[in-house]
Amino acid sequence: MLEQLTEQFLQSIQTPRAWVGLAVTLVVAYALYRFGRTLLRSLERHLPARLVWGLKWMWLLLVGVGWLAVAAHLLQLSALPFLYEYGQGIAAWFGHSAAQTLVVVAIALIAWNLVGALAHRIVPDDEFNRRTVRVQTLKGVIESTLKVAIVIISVIAVIQSLGVNATSLLAGVSVLGLAVSFGAQSLVKDLFSGFFILLEDQYGVGDVITVNTGLLSGNVEKLNLRMTALRGLDGTLHIIPNGQINTVSVSSKDWSRVVATVDVTYSANLNDALRVLKAVSDELAADPEWKHFFLDAPDIQGVTQLAPDGVTLRALFKVQPKSQYAIGREFNRRIKIAMDQAGISIPSPQRHLNFGDGPVEIRLVRDPVPARAPGSPDTPTPAAAAPGHAPGLDAGKAAPLPEQERTQAPITPSMTRDAEDDRS
């Protein structure tokens, strides 16, 4: 018997058909095993743990013996009558539609889980760049597209296994889809717009964008062929169909710019103010904590506007994308301290009051001096005022600002974008 079995095995294993058959049946057996484990996992809450454990081992044994029987049938090992006949029966059973449907569903579940597992293994870099943006965007789009394709192919295969002519059915569905497309033109427009957004890398997940000239803005949290999801600063999630996006302003594409402005009063020394602006800009660009964000040296543009309330000075910083918000906040802190230390005033809002053409009467009223009781000590007389100095003038004068450390911030500025940041 052993010699007959060896001779039959050696004869059958030499044909390519036997190797292909073994490989296909092994994949089908694994798919059935995974399908059974998934069903048993869903029953764990409703059955005792020992029973579930026993069912798992029974399923493994059943699938293993079944594959061995099918392998014996494929290799024509008639020397093993039990396995050979059992495998012949399994092969006949698999020829029916129900068995084919079971195999299709099992393979579809494996493909679905495999796509999800591979998508989770694609982890983009922590550093914000165009590659990271494209990986995050295409990861979700490809995963959803593959899962939809798996569902469509599985449905067609199941219909075919049930004896329905899938060719004629697909022809009818295509005609129906064409009719639906005329009625759902907005959906088709959304899909085409999303396709070109992805193809041209106009923006992606993680970018900061403003849609339709400031109507909506925020961080792109999700992007697919149909819609774009923006998360605003207040946490509101804006869902915008891609077909309704006419213009997009991307604040995080390739590089960004900080428009660093400061106003000084007309009485200030402009040359000193420009020196302070240049010193603070160069100091910020050379700071070890911030210099890796700068792409070029600061561009000091000088006096850019003679506004009604003051003179505007401006500098431009070319920086890494999405870093302009934190650098702008740090610049505002440092320039305010530096201007105070240099004695240069930053203008504050002023208002002029018009009381009309009539005269304005101003009355000075003196508080009454309380009577001195007999025997009480004399009330101290105020010191004589210095020549040229009016008494009581110091009462309304602001105390000098204490010395502040300019290079060490008490807190780290946030990278979060404000809605007003792009309007400044």
Side-chain angles (χ1 to χ4, degrees):
M1 178 180 177
L2 183 59
E3 295 178 357
Q4 182 183 1
L5 178 62
T6 304
E7 183 180 356
Q8 291 177 353
F9 178 77
L10 293 177
Q11 288 178 355
S12 301
I13 205 65
Q14 294 177 0
T15 60
R17 180 175 176 274
W19 287 102
V20 174
L22 290 176
V24 172
T25 54
L26 184 61
V27 171
V28 172
Y30 178 73
L32 291 174
Y33 171 72
R34 294 288 299 180
F35 178 68
R37 288 295 297 265
T38 303
L39 292 179
L40 290 175
R41 194 179 298 115
S42 63
L43 298 176
E44 287 181 350
R45 300 179 180 178
H46 310 285
L47 297 177
R50 290 186 178 181
L51 179 59
V52 174
W53 180 82
L55 290 175
K56 288 180 179 180
W57 279 104
M58 288 179 60
W59 181 249
L60 175 61
L61 180 62
L62 180 62
V63 172
V65 173
W67 180 78
L68 290 176
V70 173
H73 173 68
L74 289 175
L75 298 177
Q76 298 296 322
L77 302 180
S78 58
L80 298 175
F82 172 74
L83 291 178
Y84 180 78
E85 294 177 0
Y86 184 38
Q88 191 175 12
I90 292 176
W93 178 70
F94 262 92
H96 294 81
S97 59
Q100 295 178 8
T101 303
L102 184 62
V103 172
V104 170
V105 173
I107 295 177
L109 287 176
I110 290 179
W112 183 281
N113 294 330
L114 184 62
V115 169
L118 292 178
H120 287 297
R121 291 181 65 88
I122 301 175
V123 180
D125 300 333
D126 294 333
E127 182 181 357
F128 181 84
N129 50 48
R130 296 317 303 169
R131 179 183 178 277
T132 302
V133 170
R134 298 211 73 180
V135 167
Q136 289 179 332
T137 305
L138 294 177
K139 172 185 174 183
V141 174
I142 293 175
E143 181 182 3
S144 59
T145 304
L146 288 178
K147 287 185 175 180
V148 170
I150 290 171
V151 172
I152 294 175
I153 295 174
S154 301
V155 170
I156 294 174
V158 169
I159 292 174
Q160 187 75 29
S161 65
L162 294 176
V164 181
N165 190 356
T167 305
S168 58
L169 181 63
L170 288 176
V173 170
S174 62
V175 175
L176 179 62
L178 183 62
V180 171
S181 63
F182 284 105
Q185 295 183 11
S186 60
L187 178 60
V188 176
K189 183 180 178 181
D190 296 341
L191 296 178
F192 272 97
S193 299
F195 173 76
F196 283 106
I197 289 173
L198 296 174
L199 180 65
E200 299 172 359
D201 190 25
Q202 297 178 10
Y203 58 87
V205 175
D207 274 325
V208 177
I209 67 172
T210 301
V211 177
N212 295 341
T213 319
L215 186 62
L216 292 174
S217 63
N219 191 74
V220 180
E221 194 168 278
K222 184 180 179 181
L223 172 63
N224 55 34
L225 293 176
R226 189 184 63 84
M227 62 85 182
T228 298
L230 295 183
R231 180 73 67 175
L233 184 67
D234 58 352
T236 303
L237 184 65
H238 306 288
I239 300 177
I240 312 169
N242 292 329
Q244 297 182 13
I245 298 177
N246 297 322
T247 60
V248 178
S249 303
V250 185
S251 303
S252 55
K253 189 71 175 288
D254 299 331
W255 57 272
S256 299
R257 175 172 285 158
V258 178
V259 181
T261 60
V262 60
D263 292 343
V264 297
T265 59
Y266 276 94
S267 60
N269 189 319
L270 291 183
N271 292 334
D272 290 344
L274 288 172
R275 294 188 188 98
V276 172
L277 176 63
K278 178 173 174 54
V280 171
S281 302
D282 294 340
E283 173 189 275
L284 184 59
D287 193 306
E289 186 178 354
W290 299 97
K291 66 180 182 180
H292 64 279
F293 291 115
F294 282 79
L295 300 178
D296 285 334
D299 179 17
I300 311 300
Q301 295 197 321
V303 179
T304 58
Q305 187 180 8
L306 300 178
D309 295 331
V311 181
T312 302
L313 312 180
R314 185 170 70 192
L316 298 179
F317 306 153
K318 186 177 180 180
V319 297
Q320 297 281 356
K322 296 184 72 173
S323 67
Q324 66 267 33
Y325 314 118
I327 293 177
R329 297 181 181 108
E330 179 65 12
F331 170 81
N332 292 337
R333 186 188 70 86
R334 295 194 181 198
I335 196 66
K336 172 63 171 63
I337 296 175
M339 289 295 184
D340 291 341
Q341 293 173 347
I344 300 175
S345 299
I346 296 177
S348 56
Q350 300 180 6
R351 297 291 182 271
H352 297 278
L353 301 179
N354 186 5
F355 295 97
D357 298 332
V360 179
E361 181 181 359
I362 300 176
R363 310 179 79 188
L364 302 178
V365 180
R366 191 179 207 178
D367 293 337
V369 180
R372 187 176 59 181
S376 62
D378 294 339
T379 304
T381 58
H389 181 74
L393 183 61
D394 292 338
K397 185 178 181 181
L401 294 174
E403 189 69 20
Q404 302 181 64
E405 176 60 38
R406 188 168 73 237
T407 59
Q408 299 295 330
I411 60 173
T412 302
S414 171
M415 293 284 185
T416 306
R417 169 185 179 275
D418 288 338
E420 293 79 10
D421 282 340
D422 290 338
R423 305 193 195 112
S424 58

